Amino acid sequence: MTHSKVFSTESLAKMYSLSIIGNVKNAGKTVTLNYLVNKLDKYTLGVTSIGLDGEQNDVLTYTPKPLIHLPGNTVVATAAQTLKSFSCSYEILKGTNIFSPLGEILYIRLRERGQVLLAGPKRRSDLKKVIMGFRDFNCTKVLVDGAIDRKVSASPFVTDGTIFVAGASYSRDFTRLIKDTIHQLNLLSLPKTDECLIKSAALSLEGAKVAIIRENEIELLPYKSAILIGHINEHMIKGKVNNIVIGGALLDSFGKQLVQLLKKRYKVRVVVEDGTKVFLSPEVFNDFTENGGSLEVMTPCKIVALAVNPVSIEGYEFSSDKLVQSFRSFTDIPVFDPLM
C-alpha cells in the first residue's frame, strides 16, 4: 500500500511547461486543462496542443466534447484556420514558420475571455520551439494539451512535467483500467541509468540508432531502428552485462527477442532516451523484468499527478472516489478528479 500525496498546483510553481496526456481518446484531457487554467490564474499562460482540441463534437464519434475556455491575456499557439472558431476578440502576435494542414501556427493573444480551438505543432522539435517562443510574450507558464497515442509532449526534452489523465473510456473492466494505467505510469517513470553509462550512450548514439556497451567497449550496430534487429544475440556476450542503448522506440517485437535471450542466461540492460520511447505491453515488460532484464532511461519523465475521469463516452461510469482510492493504493503520485 502506497500513500499518494494530495495534488496542489503549488507543486507546479517551478515548472515553466506542463503537458497533459491521457490513456485513451476522450480520456478527459480538456477538462483537466480547463481545471489547470482556472487554478493557475496568477500566471500569464501560454497554451497549445499537439493535436486538435476544443472542437464541439468528436470527429469520429460525433459526440459532444468539452470546450476550451481561456481568460483574457492568454497567449495561444494554434493554426491559422482555427481562428474562425474563436468566440472572443484576439490579436495576432507573430507567425512561427511552422505549418500544419490547418495553416501556419501563430501566436495569438486573447483580448478577453473566450472559447478557442487549438491545433498546434505535431513534431517534437517544432513543439519544443513553440514552447520556448512563448517567453517572447512574457508567458510564465505553458500548458500543452496532448493527443491520443502521442506521448511525445511528456518527454523531459520537451516539457518540465506531465499530468497523466486516466479515463474510464479505456475499459469497462475496472481492474484492467487500473492495471494498465499503472503500467503506463511505470513506463513513463523508468529509473535513470548511471552517469557513466549515460555519457557512453550519448557518445555512441551520435553515430548509430542502436549500440551495445560492454564495460569500456562500444559497438555501434548497423540498424536504423531496434525494430530492424533480427538476431541481437550475434552482438552479445554471455557472462557480461550487455547494455543495449536505443535511440528510437522500444517495441514488443524487440522486447520478446530480449526475453528469449534472458532465458538463455544473457545479461541485458536496455537504455532508452526517456519513457515516452517505450511501448512495451504489460505482458512483455513483466516477462523482461521477471527474467532479470533491466530497463532504464537517460532522462526520466516528471509525472506530477494522475487525474481521473470516471465517466466514459460510451455511457458507463465508475465511482470517482473508488477510482481515486484504487489508484492511490498503487502509486505515490498525487491522484485527483478535476471535477470533484
Side-chain angles (χ1 to χ4, degrees):
M1 176 75 72
T2 60
H3 298 282
S4 175
K5 302 172 184 173
V6 175
F7 174 66
S8 166
T9 51
E10 293 301 316
S11 65
L12 311 178
K14 295 182 179 179
M15 293 181 181
Y16 170 65
S17 55
L18 183 74
S19 57
I20 304 163
I21 64 172
N23 64 340
V24 67
K25 185 173 176 59
N26 298 309
K29 297 189 304 298
T30 301
V31 170
T32 303
L33 173 68
N34 285 332
Y35 169 87
L36 291 172
V37 167
N38 290 330
K39 291 289 184 181
L40 298 171
D41 57 355
K42 66 181 179 182
Y43 296 96
T44 299
L45 293 176
V47 183
T48 190
S49 169
I50 199 168
L52 179 66
D53 288 293
E55 66 270 40
Q56 292 189 341
N57 294 295
D58 189 284
V59 294
L60 296 178
T61 63
Y62 303 106
T63 50
K65 294 193 64 176
L67 303 175
I68 297 175
H69 298 279
L70 299 175
N73 202 38
T74 300
V75 178
V76 301
T78 187
Q81 290 184 34
T82 64
L83 300 182
K84 57 189 176 186
S85 299
F86 282 28
S87 70
C88 56
S89 60
Y90 57 83
E91 172 190 6
I92 298 176
L93 298 172
K94 183 182 176 183
T96 62
N97 204 30
I98 298 169
F99 291 84
S100 76
L102 295 177
E104 185 181 8
I105 309 300
L106 306 170
Y107 289 108
I108 307 291
R109 189 184 301 278
L110 305 187
R111 289 181 171 145
E112 59 187 332
R113 182 175 180 81
Q115 173 191 321
V116 302
L117 180 65
L118 296 178
K122 299 283 187 185
R123 295 171 51 193
R124 177 171 125 163
S125 57
D126 290 338
L127 178 59
K128 190 173 179 180
K129 190 182 300 181
V130 165
I131 289 172
M132 296 311 295
F134 279 113
R135 291 187 187 276
D136 294 343
F137 310 108
N138 300 317
C139 293
T140 50
K141 195 75 69 186
V142 175
L143 302 176
V144 181
D145 203 348
I148 180 64
D149 293 334
R150 299 294 306 278
K151 296 192 291 184
V152 63
S153 59
S155 167
F157 298 96
V158 178
T159 52
D160 300 323
T162 296
I163 290 184
F164 191 95
V165 184
S169 295
Y170 181 82
S171 175
R172 291 177 180 271
D173 183 334
F174 187 84
T175 301
R176 185 184 170 210
L177 169 62
I178 300 293
K179 179 182 172 184
D180 287 3
T181 300
I182 293 298
H183 170 68
Q184 292 182 58
L185 288 173
N186 287 339
L187 294 185
L188 290 169
S189 307
L190 286 168
K192 182 179 180 180
T193 196
D194 60 74
E195 294 297 330
C196 183
L197 188 55
I198 288 175
K199 291 176 182 175
S200 298
L203 286 173
S204 64
L205 289 180
E206 286 182 2
K209 285 290 185 182
V210 184
I212 293 185
I213 303 172
R214 294 177 291 269
E215 297 177 348
N216 295 323
E217 175 193 348
I218 299 177
E219 181 184 3
L220 306 183
L221 304 189
Y223 305 105
K224 293 183 179 179
S225 165
I227 301 171
L228 302 175
I229 301 176
H231 301 283
I232 189 68
N233 58 308
E234 295 175 357
H235 306 276
M236 295 169 63
I237 298 175
K238 277 188 176 179
K240 288 186 177 181
V241 176
N242 297 273
N243 297 295
I244 303 174
V245 182
I246 299 174
L250 174 59
L251 306 179
D252 268 357
S253 56
F254 189 57
K256 289 178 180 176
Q257 189 181 162
L258 295 177
V259 169
Q260 294 308 311
L261 294 175
L262 288 165
K263 290 179 177 177
K264 294 177 181 177
R265 301 185 181 281
Y266 281 90
K267 298 178 180 177
V268 178
R269 173 163 58 175
V270 176
V271 180
V272 296
E273 192 174 53
D274 63 65
T276 65
K277 299 290 185 71
V278 183
F279 297 88
L280 296 182
S281 64
E283 293 76 19
V284 174
F285 178 75
N286 291 337
D287 266 356
F288 179 76
T289 55
E290 288 170 4
N291 281 284
S294 176
L295 180 54
E296 300 171 356
V297 297
M298 287 189 265
T299 307
C301 299
K302 175 68 175 175
I303 308 299
V304 297
L306 171 63
V308 303
N309 171 16
V311 181
S312 167
I313 196 171
E314 295 183 14
Y316 63 90
E317 65 181 277
F318 301 117
S319 157
S320 172
D321 185 59
K322 181 181 177 183
L323 196 56
V324 169
Q325 295 306 324
S326 295
F327 278 125
R328 283 178 175 170
S329 68
F330 285 99
T331 180
D332 57 3
I333 297 172
V335 184
F336 71 104
D337 181 341
L339 293 182
M340 298 297 287

